[in-house]
Amino acid sequence: MSNICLQTKELFDLSHTAARELLEKTQYPWQALPQIGSFILELGARLSPGDYERAGEQVWIHKTAKIYPNNYIAGPCVIGPEAEVRPGAFIRGSALVGAGCVVGNSTELKNVILFDGVQVPHYNYVGDSILGYKSHMGAGAVTSNVKQDKTLVTIAAGDERVETGLKKFGAMLGDQVEVGCGAVLNPGTVIGRGSRVYPLSMVRGAVPEGSIYKRAGEVAAIQ
């Protein structure tokens, strides 16, 4: 389990997000979660009116983005170039949607950073989470962002527990992570770069990079 990676620089290539300025100040990416909303407001104020349209007081949408009808987008929110927001999407606010992202039908976002190329295309809930470059959540895969007993979220990383100090914390997905259909990512899930999660899995804690997560206690290296 030596390749468990929790630090921002280990999980993400920050050249693939408009949130680079925010994330490069963090040691661990979840430290950015309480600041996402205020960062988006600062970012939006700097965006070029030639490239972005205002869709409400705190919503900025790139002119090349495809926004389908019958969705809801609340601010603060930035939607990047060539992103798609499909019918039935529910963006509750504090959402930074990167270039080329897909936010699909019946997908709900809240307090998130989606790096460029992220796909959450079908029936996904993503809350208090950061999804790395070209990561993908299969149909029905969701994050759970609050523990049932409402205590602060900790991360199980091998034999250690890492305190986050956060009550709301969904998942951190490293670059190019694949999450199978119907998987549940419990509070405090961190998945290393390039790893894959089996469909219908129940994930808790840290998954090493370059791994296949089948179920608790059954994690194999990608050959």
Side-chain angles (χ1 to χ4, degrees):
M1 301 291 282
S2 60
N3 55 342
I4 289 179
C5 301
L6 299 180
Q7 297 191 43
T8 303
K9 64 183 180 181
E10 298 172 321
L11 291 165
F12 307 118
D13 178 349
L14 297 183
S15 69
H16 293 295
T17 178
R20 178 172 188 163
E21 182 181 344
L22 172 64
L23 290 170
E24 66 186 2
K25 298 176 183 178
T26 66
Q27 180 179 6
Y28 301 107
W30 56 85
Q31 294 169 334
L33 291 177
Q35 305 172 57
I36 291 175
S38 59
F39 175 78
I40 291 173
L41 291 176
E42 295 170 6
L43 175 64
R46 302 196 303 263
L47 295 174
S48 168
D51 295 326
Y52 284 82
E53 295 179 344
R54 294 287 293 271
E57 185 177 353
Q58 299 178 343
V59 178
W60 295 264
I61 299 176
H62 197 276
K63 292 180 179 179
T64 64
K66 176 68 173 179
I67 309 298
Y68 289 81
N70 302 319
N71 53 53
Y72 177 86
I73 303 174
C77 178
V78 170
I79 297 175
E82 300 182 347
E84 289 187 19
V85 179
R86 294 176 176 169
F90 179 27
I91 300 178
R92 289 168 49 190
S94 297
L96 176 54
V97 179
C101 287
V102 175
V103 181
N105 59 300
S106 301
T107 289
E108 180 178 348
L109 303 181
K110 174 253 180 187
N111 199 48
V112 297
I113 295 171
L114 306 186
F115 275 55
D116 301 342
V118 167
Q119 294 191 0
V120 280
H122 312 286
Y123 313 108
N124 306 111
Y125 173 66
V126 187
D128 299 287
S129 299
I130 300 175
L131 277 55
Y133 177 58
K134 287 191 174 180
S135 59
H136 170 260
M137 293 180 67
V142 297
T143 64
S144 173
N145 59 335
V146 180
K147 295 172 65 177
Q148 289 186 336
D149 62 6
K150 307 301 189 292
T151 58
L152 299 181
V153 175
T154 61
I155 300 169
D159 296 328
E160 300 181 6
R161 284 202 167 268
V162 179
E163 303 287 341
T164 71
L166 298 171
K167 183 178 178 181
K168 294 186 177 182
F169 176 164
M172 305 285 123
L173 304 189
D175 295 341
Q176 298 183 326
V177 164
E178 289 281 342
V179 177
C181 296
V184 176
L185 309 181
N186 283 288
T189 294
V190 180
I191 302 178
R193 291 189 198 217
S195 288
R196 306 173 197 159
V197 173
Y198 265 24
L200 301 178
S201 295
M202 186 80 68
V203 188
R204 187 181 302 277
V207 177
E209 67 176 37
S211 298
I212 298 175
Y213 182 99
K214 301 178 181 180
R215 59 184 62 84
E218 191 173 352
V219 181
I222 295 175
Q223 301 299 320

